[in-house]
Amino acid sequence: MLIIQKYGGSSVANAECIMRVANKIVNTFSNGNKVVVVLSAQGDTTDSLTVKAREINDKASRREMDMLLSTGEQQSVALMAMAIHKLGYPAISLTAAQVGIHSSSDYGSARIKNIDTSRILSELERNNIVLIAGFQGINRYGDVTTLGRGASDTTAVALAAVLGADLCEIYTDVDGVYTADPRIVKNAVKLNEITYEEMLELASLGAKVLHNRAVEMAKRYRVKLVVRSSITEEEGTLIREEVPNMEKLFVSGIAVDDEIARIAVVGIEDRPGMAYQVFSLLAKEKISVDLILQSIGRNSTKDISFTIHKDNLARAMELIEAHRDVLGFDMLSLDDNIAKLSIVGAGMASNSGVACMMFEALYDCGVNINMISTSEIKISVLIEKKYIEKALTSVHDKFVSKQIEFNKGGKQLI
Amino acid sequence: MLIIQKYGGSSVANAECIMRVANKIVNTFSNGNKVVVVLSAQGDTTDSLTVKAREINDKASRREMDMLLSTGEQQSVALMAMAIHKLGYPAISLTAAQVGIHSSSDYGSARIKNIDTSRILSELERNNIVLIAGFQGINRYGDVTTLGRGASDTTAVALAAVLGADLCEIYTDVDGVYTADPRIVKNAVKLNEITYEEMLELASLGAKVLHNRAVEMAKRYRVKLVVRSSITEEEGTLIREEVPNMEKLFVSGIAVDDEIARIAVVGIEDRPGMAYQVFSLLAKEKISVDLILQSIGRNSTKDISFTIHKDNLARAMELIEAHRDVLGFDMLSLDDNIAKLSIVGAGMASNSGVACMMFEALYDCGVNINMISTSEIKISVLIEKKYIEKALTSVHDKFVSKQIEFNKGGKQLI
């Protein structure tokens, strides 16, 4: 089998971790598999490099940030090669430039366009374990790009797709995908299987287990994806397309994203095109907007609220403030004391009353809802950050815990 | 003018140092010059990466070491670009791979073969300050190589040669080339000018101001080279070809190298080819040998002693020990408690009695001589490490201080 493995930053944080991972890789290899490994930067390397850059220039150019940050993954693959050699096995490290992982030129958030397979295949042919720096690419100028936070997952899935790998294993510090964050919800349950679609909603909702674009790409190219622990030998969670006999929870997961902020543009003129004007400003700067809420017009003005990642807050405020004349609003306000709580499940679409049950769970524990957004397989609400634990436990209890009871022979609740 | 500047690791050790250097670069640029800058890794980055590697594998492959170490310079150039942007000037960072600094494949001690100038020239054309990672190259497989310790100097001189630069400035933590190490010898004198040949002897003798291969290359391509301080505004020392009216000291410098060790192969058979056998073993492993001393044959055996860099000591001992059968010696011994003291001067060749004066200076201060080696413009002796300061002061006093006195109107001593 050809197996792609990806290990995150915490799995390679120090010499001891690296040796442990090297053993895992060598095990897979000595079972007769061809192995390609994607690595992230060690521990908090990326963060400490970012701090270094900010000391010098708090508005560092993205090209130079990518030049700086990409060194973290390069160090990881070199160190891992040394560790595997130490165990007496053949390995070679490669940067994105050496492989030929071609990307767009959007420094800091580049997208993989195509990957040359020749160097990888010839190294596999030579019986090498191939170690590839994740998170990075090169653009058409030969300059280094990075693919955005957590994008080593995407590198791994993209490699699995172009190499036609039999399996793509994402090793992380949790042992699979849970119905909710097990650090907060004590009785959260590990899922053995989940569909791409469900995982997509969970990933984009901040479940942090798997990078969103990685799941999208896995779905598109039908890459068999497993999330499992780099420490234990647990089975992990298989992410795959939906099949008839698949284990299926009514609500498969509950996710919290507390890295968001809300901006409210109050008293904007109530005429066509105003929403477009606000959001095109942000789109031009590649600031992603998540939930959007527009109040009903009143006195010829309306209010537009939306949520964005908190890292983009300062820039978004600046941008809108700079266009106050054009937009003609009365007031601009922000709230970064909020979190988004979401329930996800493919079974949701065919069941009515799910939203109502969620609101009831929040009412039960006295948590107020600020904004609501729904899709076919998810419902998100915005709540105050301090209520995260209370709300998560109550909602998890309402949906997942009772379903598990049912699956164990209880009666169906909904 | 097109000026190449090189800043060493201590000059870019932290944010403050980087901003200071950025200001220096910008000054040169805003005086109407085109500027290409070569940088080393920050402070002790290279050492701490080496420690990291050793924790994992104390015999790490050289290819992977180069992959690891080359990240240090990449970080430096990215951070410097951010610093120059902060000052409002245009700059772009480039790795050796992006420039096309092609080298041989001897990982850890590769030699520059040729340099593509197109990317650099097009960035200069765009009015950019071009920042290039020193110390590194790429081989014909596209893999990263490093050029050996301190080789950022070589990168700078090579760039000056291929770009036809008007000047190559090597910025360091001393303000020029001195007649002896000013930290040890209080009355050491800074030289305004020195010939390539003299500098070559001083560099290879461990003066540490300038990398040996850089001086060789500067000599070959007649690159006008200046060594100066990255902190003060002092003039520095100009290294150039000899011209008739050049200021000329009888002995231009005294250097100490305490990073050496001596190996003695005792009781080797006294027949032709034995020296060849010993040194070909070392040559195959690219271990450079410095001083060599062979005793006169006696009882059909002889002794061969030689000095090497202390980093190569363990490997050299291993190699010779492993060939004990072939070489057939009685005993193998080592001494790493030694240092080499050398005097260098182009004026030496035409004056007799120089060696004698040096031996007298050592006798004056009671330092015993272990080995002696001479060339046209230098005399080296091996002494015990603990006598370095005493010997250096005494020799400096004998030659340089008295010459300076003479130059100031005293009488010529020799």
Side-chain angles (χ1 to χ4, degrees):
Chain A
M1 290 222 294
L2 171 58
I3 298 180
I4 315 294
Q5 300 187 329
K6 179 259 169 177
Y7 295 90
S10 58
S11 305
V12 294
N14 54 42
E16 198 189 330
C17 294
I18 287 178
M19 287 311 306
R20 184 167 49 218
V21 167
N23 272 298
K24 270 190 175 297
I25 294 170
V26 159
N27 273 345
T28 309
F29 178 76
S30 53
N31 284 335
N33 298 300
K34 287 184 180 295
V35 186
V36 175
V37 179
V38 174
L39 297 177
S40 301
Q42 288 191 285
D44 50 7
T45 305
T46 305
D47 290 330
S48 65
L49 287 174
T50 305
V51 168
K52 257 191 177 180
R54 289 212 177 123
E55 270 175 36
I56 288 169
N57 188 337
D58 52 4
K59 282 175 185 157
S61 102
R62 294 191 190 186
R63 179 192 184 277
E64 299 301 338
M65 277 307 288
D66 285 2
M67 188 78 160
L68 181 69
L69 295 181
S70 62
T71 60
E73 284 72 23
Q74 187 173 333
Q75 293 178 356
S76 289
V77 288
L79 292 170
M80 187 61 75
M82 294 172 194
I84 293 173
H85 293 162
K86 177 81 176 177
L87 298 173
Y89 288 84
I92 189 163
S93 69
L94 297 173
T95 61
Q98 285 167 355
V99 171
I101 300 182
H102 302 283
S103 77
S104 64
S105 268
D106 313 308
Y107 298 109
S109 58
R111 298 232 160 199
I112 295 175
K113 288 162 79 176
N114 60 71
I115 299 179
D116 297 340
T117 55
S118 56
R119 178 76 192 258
I120 300 174
L121 292 175
S122 77
E123 296 298 346
L124 288 174
E125 200 57 45
R126 283 193 199 105
N127 207 31
N128 269 319
I129 295 170
V130 183
L131 307 167
I132 297 174
F135 176 65
Q136 56 186 247
I138 44 162
N139 65 17
R140 59 190 165 138
Y141 311 108
D143 287 352
V144 184
T145 59
T146 67
L147 311 172
R149 280 260 148 157
S152 290
D153 292 350
T154 310
T155 306
V157 175
L159 284 166
V162 296
L163 295 169
D166 299 287
L167 184 62
C168 180
E169 298 180 317
I170 308 288
Y171 286 87
T172 176
D173 50 1
V174 296
D175 58 2
V177 180
Y178 277 73
T179 51
D181 189 336
R183 286 167 303 186
I184 303 177
V185 178
K186 295 290 161 284
N187 50 358
V189 179
K190 197 181 78 184
L191 301 165
N192 294 323
E193 292 184 319
I194 185 172
T195 65
Y196 294 120
E197 290 77 9
E198 288 172 319
M199 193 62 221
L200 258 181
E201 291 283 8
L202 283 174
S204 60
L205 294 171
K208 285 173 196 160
V209 178
L210 208 48
H211 193 56
N212 205 3
R213 269 156 59 200
V215 184
E216 270 173 19
M217 197 178 285
K219 178 173 185 283
R220 189 172 335 135
Y221 297 100
R222 299 288 154 203
V223 171
K224 211 172 137 191
L225 203 58
V226 169
V227 174
R228 56 192 300 187
S229 166
S230 64
I231 299 152
T232 72
E233 293 296 322
E234 293 281 321
E235 277 291 331
T237 300
L238 176 64
I239 298 132
R240 53 181 295 181
E241 52 204 301
E242 193 169 343
V243 288
N245 62 344
M246 200 167 171
E247 170 199 27
K248 198 157 130 194
L249 288 178
F250 177 68
V251 166
S252 58
I254 304 175
V256 172
D257 185 356
D258 60 357
E259 299 199 328
I260 56 169
R262 184 178 56 165
I263 292 181
V265 188
V266 178
I268 204 164
E269 201 184 334
D270 189 12
R271 62 177 170 82
M274 295 312 287
Y276 166 74
Q277 289 208 5
V278 171
F279 295 114
S280 67
L281 274 180
L282 302 174
K284 258 184 237 157
E285 292 285 311
K286 298 201 184 277
I287 297 174
S288 300
V289 175
D290 186 15
L291 306 186
I292 299 176
L293 190 116
Q294 185 181 300
S295 69
I296 296 156
R298 196 180 46 178
N299 300 333
S300 77
T301 67
K302 60 190 175 188
D303 310 335
I304 296 179
S305 312
F306 56 90
T307 62
I308 55 177
H309 192 277
K310 68 179 167 48
D311 286 354
N312 294 326
L313 181 59
R315 234 157 103 233
M317 288 293 281
E318 234 174 75
L319 272 172
I320 298 173
E321 192 57 57
H323 293 76
R324 185 185 271 267
D325 287 354
V326 187
L327 300 171
F329 52 84
D330 293 334
M331 205 183 75
L332 190 60
S333 73
L334 67 89
D335 184 357
D336 56 1
N337 203 18
I338 49 162
K340 186 172 63 171
L341 179 76
S342 310
I343 58 175
V344 172
M348 202 181 280
S350 50
N351 282 278
S352 58
V354 176
C356 180
M357 273 184 70
M358 184 182 189
F359 303 154
E360 186 186 13
L362 292 170
Y363 175 66
D364 285 349
C365 63
V367 172
N368 194 34
I369 301 171
N370 285 326
M371 270 169 98
I372 299 168
S373 163
T374 61
S375 83
E376 287 216 336
I377 66 165
K378 87 158 187 207
I379 302 169
S380 299
V381 297
L382 226 57
I383 60 175
E384 267 188 83
K385 214 176 244 180
K386 65 179 175 192
Y387 294 134
I388 289 177
E389 194 175 334
K390 191 155 83 169
L392 187 53
T393 307
S394 177
V395 173
H396 188 270
D397 195 53
K398 189 127 214 141
F399 287 104
V400 186
S401 303
K402 288 188 184 154
Q403 284 180 97
I404 302 293
E405 238 168 68
F406 161 69
N407 283 346
K408 284 180 182 153
K411 67 179 179 71
Q412 184 162 12
L413 288 167
I414 312 147
Chain B
M1 291 221 296
L2 171 59
I3 298 179
I4 315 294
Q5 300 187 329
K6 179 259 168 178
Y7 295 89
S10 58
S11 306
V12 294
N14 55 41
E16 198 189 330
C17 294
I18 288 178
M19 288 310 306
R20 184 168 51 217
V21 167
N23 272 299
K24 271 190 173 298
I25 295 170
V26 160
N27 273 345
T28 309
F29 179 77
S30 53
N31 283 336
N33 299 299
K34 286 183 180 297
V35 186
V36 174
V37 179
V38 174
L39 297 177
S40 300
Q42 289 191 285
D44 50 7
T45 305
T46 304
D47 290 330
S48 66
L49 287 174
T50 305
V51 169
K52 257 191 177 179
R54 290 212 176 122
E55 270 175 35
I56 288 169
N57 188 338
D58 51 5
K59 283 174 185 159
S61 102
R62 294 191 191 186
R63 179 192 184 276
E64 299 301 338
M65 277 307 288
D66 285 3
M67 187 78 161
L68 181 68
L69 295 182
S70 63
T71 60
E73 284 72 23
Q74 187 173 334
Q75 294 177 356
S76 290
V77 287
L79 292 170
M80 188 60 75
M82 294 172 195
I84 293 173
H85 293 163
K86 178 82 177 178
L87 298 173
Y89 287 83
I92 189 162
S93 69
L94 297 173
T95 61
Q98 285 167 354
V99 171
I101 300 181
H102 302 282
S103 77
S104 64
S105 269
D106 312 309
Y107 297 110
S109 58
R111 298 232 160 199
I112 295 175
K113 289 162 79 175
N114 59 70
I115 299 179
D116 297 339
T117 54
S118 55
R119 178 77 193 257
I120 300 174
L121 292 175
S122 77
E123 296 297 345
L124 288 174
E125 200 57 46
R126 282 193 200 105
N127 206 31
N128 269 319
I129 295 170
V130 182
L131 308 167
I132 297 174
F135 176 66
Q136 57 185 247
I138 46 163
N139 65 17
R140 58 190 165 137
Y141 312 107
D143 288 352
V144 184
T145 60
T146 67
L147 311 173
R149 280 258 149 158
S152 290
D153 292 349
T154 310
T155 306
V157 175
L159 284 167
V162 296
L163 295 170
D166 299 288
L167 185 61
C168 180
E169 298 180 315
I170 308 288
Y171 285 88
T172 176
D173 51 1
V174 295
D175 57 2
V177 180
Y178 277 74
T179 52
D181 188 336
R183 285 166 305 186
I184 303 177
V185 178
K186 294 290 161 285
N187 51 358
V189 180
K190 197 181 79 185
L191 301 165
N192 293 325
E193 292 184 320
I194 185 172
T195 65
Y196 294 120
E197 290 76 10
E198 288 173 319
M199 192 61 220
L200 258 182
E201 290 285 8
L202 283 174
S204 60
L205 293 172
K208 286 174 196 159
V209 178
L210 208 49
H211 193 55
N212 205 3
R213 268 157 59 200
V215 185
E216 271 174 18
M217 196 178 286
K219 179 174 185 281
R220 189 171 336 136
Y221 297 101
R222 299 289 154 200
V223 171
K224 212 172 137 192
L225 202 59
V226 169
V227 174
R228 56 191 302 187
S229 165
S230 64
I231 298 151
T232 70
E233 293 295 323
E234 293 280 319
E235 276 292 330
T237 300
L238 175 64
I239 298 134
R240 53 181 295 184
E241 52 204 302
E242 193 171 343
V243 289
N245 61 345
M246 200 166 172
E247 170 199 26
K248 198 157 130 194
L249 288 180
F250 177 67
V251 166
S252 58
I254 303 174
V256 171
D257 184 356
D258 59 356
E259 299 198 327
I260 57 170
R262 184 178 56 164
I263 292 180
V265 188
V266 178
I268 204 164
E269 201 184 332
D270 189 13
R271 62 176 169 83
M274 295 313 287
Y276 166 73
Q277 290 209 7
V278 172
F279 296 114
S280 68
L281 274 180
L282 301 174
K284 258 183 237 155
E285 292 285 310
K286 298 200 185 278
I287 296 174
S288 299
V289 175
D290 186 15
L291 305 187
I292 298 176
L293 189 114
Q294 185 183 300
S295 70
I296 296 156
R298 197 180 44 179
N299 303 332
S300 79
T301 66
K302 60 189 175 188
D303 310 335
I304 296 178
S305 311
F306 56 90
T307 63
I308 55 176
H309 192 276
K310 67 179 168 50
D311 286 354
N312 294 326
L313 181 59
R315 233 156 104 234
M317 288 293 282
E318 233 174 76
L319 273 171
I320 298 172
E321 193 56 58
H323 293 77
R324 185 185 271 267
D325 287 353
V326 188
L327 300 171
F329 52 84
D330 294 333
M331 205 184 74
L332 189 60
S333 74
L334 66 88
D335 183 357
D336 56 1
N337 202 18
I338 49 162
K340 186 173 62 172
L341 179 75
S342 310
I343 57 174
V344 172
M348 200 182 281
S350 50
N351 282 276
S352 58
V354 176
C356 181
M357 273 184 71
M358 183 182 191
F359 303 153
E360 187 187 13
L362 293 169
Y363 175 67
D364 285 349
C365 63
V367 171
N368 193 34
I369 301 170
N370 287 325
M371 269 169 99
I372 300 168
S373 164
T374 61
S375 83
E376 288 218 335
I377 65 166
K378 88 160 185 207
I379 301 169
S380 299
V381 297
L382 226 55
I383 59 174
E384 268 189 82
K385 214 177 245 178
K386 65 179 175 192
Y387 295 133
I388 289 177
E389 193 176 334
K390 192 156 83 168
L392 188 52
T393 306
S394 176
V395 173
H396 188 269
D397 195 51
K398 189 125 214 142
F399 287 103
V400 186
S401 304
K402 291 192 181 149
Q403 281 181 98
I404 302 295
E405 236 169 66
F406 161 70
N407 283 348
K408 284 179 183 153
K411 67 181 177 69
Q412 186 160 11
L413 288 166
I414 312 147

